Amino acid sequence: MTGVLRMVILGRQGSGKGTQSGLVCEAFGCVHLSTGEMLRAAVSARSELGLQADSLMSAGELVGDDVVNGIVAERLARPDIARSGVLFDGYPRTAEQAAALKSMLDEAGQALTLAVNIDVSVADVTQRMLDRGRTDDTHEAIRRRLDLYDRQTAPLLDWFASHDLLETVDGTGSETEVFERLRSVIESRLR
Ligand code: AMP
């Protein structure tokens, strides 16, 4: 196999995206770059960025494109990603972010390998979230978060498809079954 993996992972809340991201980075040795985690770290550290992001995040709103593109650019500048590859989790969230990511990578002489959508139906993820029984997982709250995700993500799926980067992986079944499907699409793109 040739090349370094640079991928984006997409999937509804409850799709198993977080678990699969961990498995992919373990298997392919890439850096797991989660903008949600970076922003939460900034909030905990009470940095200026964290203070800006805090209220938006608590309200479930998106943090501004410029802010998020800025933290990604800073992280991409560290040498480990060029060497080991990267899995973007929770980024890009808008078509503007996708375009910014493409130009950052172009400038660094790098290219995305693929974007994978872990596909689990609304009915199935709703059931998974209800089964885990968290207090913020009421029917209404789940529906609101899934609606928002679909509205934000649909244009991104189109963007990746138009750049011939999109693969869809069936996210139903065991963790291992899903991971083997994922591994197979990644390996064929890396060839
Ligand atoms: P996550 O852990 O990916 O669900 O992100 C948690 C929160 O951080 C989101 O609800 C947003 O407020 C913010 N966030 C994370 N990633 C992004 C992004 N790429 N663009 C805008 N806001 C983001």
Side-chain angles (χ1 to χ4, degrees), residues 2-7 24-33 75-76 78-87 110 113 190:
T2 55
V4 163
L5 178 64
R6 293 183 201 93
M7 78 174 262
V24 168
C25 286
E26 220 172 90
F28 291 89
C30 50
V31 173
H32 184 185
L33 191 161
R75 182 65 189 84
L76 282 179
R78 281 161 51 186
D80 55 342
I81 287 182
R83 207 171 43 234
S84 312
V86 58
L87 181 152
Q110 301 173 2
T113 315
L190 276 177

Side-chain angles (χ1 to χ4, degrees), residues 35-36 39-40 57 61-63 68 90-91 93 97:
T35 45
L39 289 166
R40 279 187 290 278
M57 290 172 73
E61 307 268 349
L62 289 186
V63 175
V68 179
Y91 178 89
R93 285 277 229 282
Q97 292 178 17

Side-chain angles (χ1 to χ4, degrees), residues 54-63 148 152:
D54 195 10
S55 56
L56 291 166
M57 290 172 73
S58 314
E61 307 268 349
L62 289 186
V63 175
L148 184 68
Q152 287 166 351

Side-chain angles (χ1 to χ4, degrees), residues 2-16:
T2 55
V4 163
L5 178 64
R6 293 183 201 93
M7 78 174 262
V8 169
I9 193 161
L10 301 156
R12 297 190 169 98
Q13 218 176 5
S15 64

